[in-house]
Amino acid sequence: MQGAARKRPFPAAAPGSPQPAGPLYAGRHGTVKNEDTFKTSPFHFDLWFYFTLQNWVLDFGRPIAMIILPLEWFPLNKPSAGDYFHMAYNVITPFLLLKIDSFELLYYYDEYLGHSMWYIPFFLILFIYFTGCFTPVEEESRMPVAALLLMGPSSLYYWYLVTEGQIFILYIFTFFAMMALVMHQKRKGLVLDSNGLFLFYSFIITLVLIAVWVVWLWNDKILRKKYPGVIYIPEPWAFYTLHMNNLHAAKESL
């Protein structure tokens, strides 16, 4: 009887009367929702106006500015007017995109695609710079006091860059390439100069810091769940948010 009752249809509405609202009838409210769903989105005039203005001024106007502005204002060892226009274009564009619902796209670009587009050229440039840091003079293969003082902060930053950016593979391949280049150049009688020693030793200290960091958090069950992969290198901010925040909350509760 219950099954038959569930299958029983609603009675037909009287002629001229509105249909009852319910799961089998769209009703007047359903019609309104459909109209809202297919409602035409407004034209984002401010977004496209600023984009058009930016394209004409910062892109099309770039060579014009280079012609009009005096060359004496922009020495050869400094950025030109066109370079400043390019930098302004790259800075302004993300802020213009924030005017529409594109935060998720920008977040993906920044956290994934943007990181790869920045880290890979960064380490490539470091390696290219490293290839020119060799000298045949043994006396030049020593670091000044200033380099020794900067080595600690530099190594600490590279540790943060590798762990927080999760780019250990990129870092370790760059380091192996640097080691191979040092051994290859040594056969030619070339040694690292002060800049090469600074960069090479900074990478070595970075590797030691990463090893200490991993060993210290090796048995952390919470972080192990967050980083279940083969390469276990927790992010510093993940450690802070998962542990230090809980510690502060426990102290405040007391």
Side-chain angles (χ1 to χ4, degrees), residues 169-183:
I169 295 179
L170 178 60
Y171 156 78
I172 201 65
F173 271 101
T174 305
F175 180 59
F176 286 158
M178 293 167 65
M179 291 182 59
L181 183 62
V182 169
M183 292 185 292

Side-chain angles (χ1 to χ4, degrees), residues 140-145 147-148 151 193-195 197-199 201:
E140 295 182 3
S141 184
R142 62 184 63 180
M143 288 188 297
V145 178
L148 295 175
M151 188 174 297
D193 61 9
S194 58
N195 296 292
L197 289 174
F198 175 80
L199 186 58
Y201 288 154

Side-chain angles (χ1 to χ4, degrees), residues 1-230:
M1 291 297 292
Q2 292 179 355
R6 284 197 296 268
K7 296 180 181 179
R8 184 180 301 168
F10 288 102
S17 62
Q19 291 285 354
L24 299 181
Y25 294 94
R28 297 174 62 184
H29 297 289
T31 305
V32 174
K33 291 182 179 180
N34 290 335
E35 291 177 357
D36 293 340
T37 302
F38 296 101
K39 186 178 179 180
T40 304
S41 59
F43 179 72
H44 299 282
F45 172 78
D46 53 349
L47 173 69
W48 299 118
F49 172 76
Y50 290 132
F51 259 136
T52 305
L53 180 63
Q54 172 185 257
N55 293 336
W56 277 100
V57 174
L58 298 180
D59 192 12
F60 181 80
R62 178 178 58 85
I64 299 176
M66 295 178 65
I67 295 174
I68 296 175
L69 297 177
L71 294 177
E72 294 77 13
W73 293 3
F74 308 98
L76 294 178
N77 59 341
K78 301 292 183 181
S80 65
D83 296 325
Y84 286 115
F85 273 52
H86 268 302
M87 288 186 282
Y89 192 101
N90 295 330
V91 171
I92 294 174
T93 299
F95 288 98
L96 293 180
L97 291 175
L98 289 176
K99 296 184 67 62
I100 58 176
D101 297 332
S102 58
F103 177 76
E104 292 184 0
L105 177 61
L106 292 178
Y107 180 82
Y108 170 80
Y109 174 81
D110 176 65
E111 289 296 320
Y112 299 96
L113 183 60
H115 280 191
S116 299
M117 293 176 65
W118 187 83
Y119 289 134
I120 293 176
F122 175 73
F123 279 93
L124 180 60
I125 291 173
L126 281 181
F127 180 74
I128 294 175
Y129 173 82
F130 185 75
T131 59
C133 296
F134 290 88
T135 177
V137 182
E138 290 284 346
E139 289 74 13
E140 295 182 3
S141 184
R142 62 184 63 180
M143 288 188 297
V145 178
L148 295 175
L149 295 176
L150 287 175
M151 188 174 297
S154 176
S155 304
L156 189 61
Y157 171 74
Y158 287 134
W159 164 83
Y160 173 78
L161 191 69
V162 173
T163 54
E164 188 67 26
Q166 295 293 287
I167 54 170
F168 178 76
I169 295 179
L170 178 60
Y171 156 78
I172 201 65
F173 271 101
T174 305
F175 180 59
F176 286 158
M178 293 167 65
M179 291 182 59
L181 183 62
V182 169
M183 292 185 292
H184 176 71
Q185 296 290 63
K186 188 175 182 180
R187 296 175 183 174
K188 297 181 179 181
L190 300 176
V191 293
L192 288 170
D193 61 9
S194 58
N195 296 292
L197 289 174
F198 175 80
L199 186 58
F200 190 62
Y201 288 154
S202 295
F203 268 55
I204 293 177
I205 297 175
T206 300
L207 185 61
V208 174
L209 292 175
I210 294 173
V212 172
W213 175 254
V214 172
V215 171
W216 182 44
L217 300 175
W218 186 259
N219 295 322
D220 193 298
K221 297 181 180 179
I222 300 177
L223 291 175
R224 276 290 182 178
K225 292 181 180 179
K226 183 175 176 61
Y227 302 95
V230 177

